[in-house]
């Protein structure tokens, strides 16, 4: 027996939508028959999945998606794109959005709290296309966004103390829509948004070394990344 299908829509206004749709079409043009593709999260990735679904249908392609959030997994299912976990397949390539990128292709991601699985796809892909509309380029990383840090809930106080030692001026426990209290990630952890004015090449590794930190949304020196503009 099959479940009745249901529609998945993006739950708020999509900023820079025209530009994001153009990027979505661009990345959909890169899909080849037989590809295993890491699917990122966020509104740009959401639009990219819809464009990829159109190509799969038009060109009768066989593709497997490794989604980075339930939102994208549900979208794939509603559009008939088969999904798998990174435990079953290593992606041939991936795409994703970003909140910020600088001239060295360093990124801050994780507005959507999906950076743990996003980083797993990115480190496991030979090639990663980051779909970045005009608003995403910054001179200095951290200019617009804090660094999201997924943290084991009982470790919050220790992690904040250590982030301050690393130079964080402000650490905010993320709270959000649809739920009282902290936003819980898909891995049952919390998010700390940490403001750093000085982001150096060692910061991603130093954050990761703190016991209690699961992952951060900072990406420094990933040479498999190509920014699609
Ligand atoms: C989600 C992310 C997104 O890729 C990032 O926030 C960009 O989002 P959008 O495409 O909606 O601008 O990292 O965790």
């Amino acid at each position: 027996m099959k479940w009745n299908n249901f529609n998945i829509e993006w739950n708020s206004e999509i900023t820079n939508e025209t530009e994001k749709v153009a990027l979505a079409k661009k990345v959909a043009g890169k899909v080849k028959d037989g590809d295993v593709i890491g699917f990122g999260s966020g509104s740009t990735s959401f639009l990219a999945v819809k464009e990829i679904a159109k190509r799969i249908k038009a060109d009768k392609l066989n593709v497997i998606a490794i989604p980075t959030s339930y939102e994208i997994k549900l979208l794939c299912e509603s559009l008939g794109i088969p999904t798998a976990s990174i435990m079953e397949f290593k992606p041939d390539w991936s795409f994703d959005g970003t909140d910020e990128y600088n001239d060295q292709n360093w990124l801050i991601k994780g507005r959507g709290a999906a950076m743990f699985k996003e980083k797993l796809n990115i480190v496991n892909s030979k090639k990663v296309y980051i779909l970045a509309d005009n608003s995403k380029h910054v001179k200095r990383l951290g200019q617009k966004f804090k660094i999201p840090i997924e943290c084991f809930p009982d470790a919050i106080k220790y992690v904040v103390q250590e982030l301050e030692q690393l130079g964080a001026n402000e650490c905010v426990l993320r709270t959000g829509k649809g739920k009282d209290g902290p936003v819980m990630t898909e891995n049952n952890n919390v998010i700390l948004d940490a403001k750093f004015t000085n982001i150096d090449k060692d910061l991603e590794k130093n954050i990761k070394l703190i016991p209690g930190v699961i992952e951060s949304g900072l990406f420094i020196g990933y040479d498999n990344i190509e920014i699609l503009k």
Side-chain angles (χ1 to χ4, degrees):
M1 201 168 91
K2 273 190 153 185
W3 291 106
N4 288 335
N5 213 344
F6 56 95
N7 273 338
I8 306 286
E9 292 304 332
W10 188 251
N11 60 5
S12 56
E13 194 203 333
I14 298 184
T15 54
N16 299 328
E17 187 164 358
T18 314
E19 239 189 291
K20 286 178 177 176
V21 169
L23 289 165
K25 288 185 193 293
K26 222 182 212 181
V27 82
K30 296 189 181 293
V31 176
K32 294 193 301 301
D33 192 38
D35 279 351
V36 176
I37 305 171
F39 279 23
S41 293
S43 62
T44 320
S45 295
F46 193 92
L47 295 169
V49 176
K50 286 186 154 184
E51 292 300 327
I52 289 172
K54 286 186 205 162
R55 265 221 64 209
I56 289 175
K57 206 168 168 197
D59 297 342
K60 298 193 171 49
L61 303 176
N62 283 305
V63 164
I64 294 174
I66 316 280
T68 49
S69 58
Y70 285 126
E71 158 215 325
I72 292 296
K73 186 179 161 120
L74 285 167
L75 180 64
C76 287
E77 293 198 344
S78 76
L79 296 171
I81 305 175
T83 60
S85 101
I86 196 131
M87 192 133 116
E88 297 160 278
F89 291 100
K90 199 172 161 93
D92 294 301
W93 59 278
S94 290
F95 68 86
D96 208 333
T98 192
D99 298 312
E100 289 186 355
Y101 75 94
N102 70 5
D103 289 339
Q104 293 158 283
N105 289 358
W106 295 7
L107 315 175
I108 290 183
K109 291 180 45 52
R111 178 201 50 72
M115 64 277 185
F116 181 37
K117 286 191 195 154
E118 290 173 345
K119 198 171 280 190
L120 278 175
N121 271 358
I122 289 173
V123 297
N124 278 295
S125 300
K126 283 196 200 94
K127 184 85 188 172
V128 179
Y129 296 105
I130 295 293
L131 315 180
D133 66 77
N134 259 328
S135 69
K136 306 299 176 71
H137 181 260
V138 289
K139 276 218 165 90
R140 182 183 60 76
L141 214 63
Q143 205 172 304
K144 298 182 184 167
F145 279 81
K146 299 188 179 88
I147 302 173
I149 294 155
E150 180 160 349
C151 169
F152 179 66
D154 285 3
I156 295 178
K157 289 186 181 172
Y158 175 70
V159 171
V160 169
Q161 172 193 295
E162 295 303 295
L163 288 171
E164 285 171 355
Q165 286 290 318
L166 289 176
N169 329 106
E170 198 188 325
C171 288
V172 182
L173 179 64
R174 194 181 290 187
T175 54
K177 295 183 218 150
K179 180 187 173 297
D180 293 337
V183 167
M184 301 304 289
T185 68
E186 293 182 7
N187 320 301
N188 283 328
N189 296 306
V190 294
I191 305 266
L192 291 166
D193 287 300
K195 188 176 163 89
F196 281 85
T197 37
N198 184 23
I199 296 178
D200 66 26
K201 64 172 182 38
D202 298 321
L203 188 60
E204 180 186 356
K205 286 197 180 73
N206 287 336
I207 292 173
K208 188 65 188 273
L209 282 174
I210 302 171
V213 166
I214 309 296
E215 196 46 89
S216 81
L218 191 56
F219 292 74
I220 294 183
Y222 291 73
D223 50 19
N224 55 348
I225 284 178
E226 179 179 331
I227 308 286
L228 275 195
K229 296 177 223 173

